[in-house]
Amino acid sequence: MANGIWKVARMAGKILAKKMIQATVMINYQCNCRCRICNYWREPFRSLPPMSLTCAHTLAEKLKPLAPLAMCLAGGEPLLHPNLIDLAGLLARDHYLDLVTNGYLMTPDLAGDLFKFGLSEISVSIDYALAKEHDAQRGLEGLFDRAAAALEYLAAKRVKPEQRVRLVSVVMEDNLDHIEPLSDLCQKLGVKHNLTLYVPGRGHGGQPADLSAVVKRLKDIQKRKPALLIVPGYLEGFEGRGRAQCRNGVNLMAIDPLGRALRCIDRVDKPAGSIITDDLKVVLAKLKKQALENPCNRCWTSCRGVVEPLLYGPKKIKNWLYQLRAIRSEPIINPCGHGLRGGGD
Ligand code: SF4
Ligand code: SF4
């Protein structure tokens, strides 16, 4: 309990001081999917070895001065990592640990273990409401059904009310009609629905041509579907409104399987150094310099898109009120449908 309060207080202080608050840790690039919208299953990424346990130990130690970070374990497909549970246990101690998966390899036991080892949020990616289209985009037959089953296992295996399960969809040129049915699926499964805008140049996808129309449509869906959660400032940023200069490198960073620090997962061109072998303060200073001296506005993904409206954008209070509602605790429901524990404990 004391550790929980300490984490919340430290995070609040870091947010107020606009420090480094978020890190995406790519623990392996290997993946069982062949998504149109991704490069990680291609060379040169796929040949990089997964993060070793030695590297994860050092990472956990070296990142302690930045704790707690909102840390997201990602890939590639993180469930393919041979030491996922050990690695998650190491990093969850000091940080808020999330994980994003395509869901294919999730089992009820693994879902339970991940939550027992301290994961705060687990997201499963589904982009289309029809199995045929989702499986085709991701290049893996049977994926839709297994991803939906993964959401069910995860929803049933939370051990604390503050743990969250999300379905996350990439908004692309051809899946807008699928968003509302996917929010319905979330409602049915008792999970929430997040969106992220496709990153131009990542794989061979496309963004919707008329982003103003997309914003209008999504606002409309949100009115009917409470499962669909989008921070207002993030949604408005789809069409450029209220977008600040990208702060990846200042408030957010990415770490690759070798422990190299990057501004974000898409800027692998210039690592700012190694968290493992270099001085952390020097690496952070280099990341900040990259961000401030070489501004980038290539994408509007949900990682930068949620943090920037909360820290810098207009209407910060409105965005914070929404975000706090979006991440509030939800009671654990047992298989008979009775709440076991309230949101306040
Ligand atoms: S988008 Fe995710 S699931 Fe698809 S190939 Fe890339 S890492 Fe794998
Ligand atoms: S705009 Fe996108 S690609 Fe550019 S640094 Fe920010 S997050 Fe990375």
Side-chain angles (χ1 to χ4, degrees):
M1 175 63 91
N3 189 34
I5 294 169
W6 175 87
K7 265 191 182 178
V8 171
R10 285 267 299 169
M11 182 55 106
K14 275 159 36 107
I15 288 168
L16 284 173
K18 296 188 169 59
K19 296 226 164 134
M20 184 64 74
I21 55 173
Q22 195 166 306
T24 302
V25 183
M26 293 170 290
I27 57 174
N28 56 286
Y29 280 122
Q30 293 72 33
C31 191
N32 44 359
C33 286
R34 297 289 177 265
C35 295
R36 222 171 37 233
I37 55 167
C38 180
N39 293 325
Y40 294 157
W41 57 272
R42 301 178 165 99
E43 295 297 355
F45 300 102
R46 65 192 289 178
S47 297
L48 271 187
M51 181 174 283
S52 68
L53 265 185
T54 314
C55 176
H57 266 288
T58 312
L59 203 61
E61 281 306 307
K62 297 261 314 247
L63 290 180
K64 270 187 181 167
L66 301 184
L69 289 162
M71 193 178 268
C72 180
L73 294 189
E77 171 47 49
L79 300 197
L80 282 172
H81 195 289
N83 304 108
L84 174 64
I85 293 290
D86 295 334
L87 206 144
L90 279 173
L91 295 169
R93 269 203 301 258
D94 296 313
H95 306 284
Y96 294 106
L97 197 62
D98 301 349
L99 178 138
V100 185
T101 169
N102 62 39
Y104 192 83
L105 296 171
M106 188 61 74
T107 62
D109 285 349
L110 180 58
D113 285 346
L114 288 168
F115 280 131
K116 271 184 234 148
F117 273 82
L119 272 279
S120 302
E121 179 176 300
I122 302 181
S123 299
V124 180
S125 309
I126 304 184
D127 305 322
Y128 298 85
L130 298 174
K132 201 173 154 207
E133 288 174 61
H134 182 64
D135 294 358
Q137 194 290 109
R138 300 231 160 207
L140 185 58
E141 210 178 315
L143 177 62
F144 179 93
D145 291 340
R146 291 180 71 149
L151 285 164
E152 239 177 304
Y153 306 148
L154 289 163
K157 294 287 184 175
R158 293 185 311 134
V159 294
K160 291 182 188 165
E162 59 269 28
Q163 290 174 321
R164 303 178 294 274
V165 182
R166 302 291 192 241
L167 183 161
V168 60
S169 306
V170 180
V171 177
M172 294 174 278
E173 59 192 349
D174 63 350
N175 68 342
L176 208 54
D177 289 342
H178 295 250
I179 301 299
E180 188 159 356
L182 285 172
S183 292
D184 285 332
L185 176 66
C186 289
Q187 196 73 31
K188 190 174 137 208
L189 297 174
V191 304
K192 295 289 192 289
H193 191 190
N194 286 165
L195 303 179
T196 187
L197 186 59
Y198 169 71
V199 177
R202 202 188 272 175
H204 306 292
Q207 263 191 4
D210 185 351
L211 286 168
S212 300
V214 172
V215 171
K216 200 163 165 286
R217 176 98 179 260
L218 292 177
K219 278 187 177 167
D220 200 43
I221 296 173
Q222 265 193 308
K223 283 184 202 145
R224 292 189 298 278
K225 307 293 170 186
L228 181 58
L229 300 177
I230 322 173
V231 173
Y234 178 48
L235 185 55
E236 280 154 22
F238 273 42
E239 48 182 342
R241 269 191 292 148
R243 255 200 225 188
Q245 177 185 336
C246 179
R247 298 291 168 153
N248 275 56
V250 179
N251 308 113
L252 310 90
M253 67 172 159
I255 299 169
D256 80 359
L258 300 177
R260 291 177 295 200
L262 312 164
R263 287 164 75 169
C264 74
I265 62 171
D266 291 297
R267 299 301 306 264
V268 290
D269 45 322
K270 258 195 190 165
S274 164
I275 304 278
I276 309 303
T277 54
D278 297 336
D279 184 287
L280 182 64
K281 281 193 185 141
V282 174
V283 175
L284 291 178
K286 273 196 198 163
L287 279 174
K288 193 169 181 177
K289 194 163 182 265
Q290 286 181 352
L292 299 180
E293 290 184 1
N294 185 11
C296 175
N297 207 15
R298 200 185 285 175
C299 80
W300 185 241
T301 54
S302 58
C303 52
R304 69 166 288 205
V306 171
V307 168
E308 284 169 33
L310 295 174
L311 264 56
Y312 301 98
K315 305 181 197 160
K316 281 202 274 294
I317 293 176
K318 179 180 167 191
N319 287 316
W320 266 114
L321 290 175
Y322 187 93
Q323 177 67 357
L324 290 173
R325 263 203 333 269
I327 60 168
R328 73 179 164 216
S329 300
E330 290 182 18
I332 306 277
I333 306 292
N334 73 10
C336 304
H338 304 301
L340 291 177
R341 275 184 277 172
D345 64 1

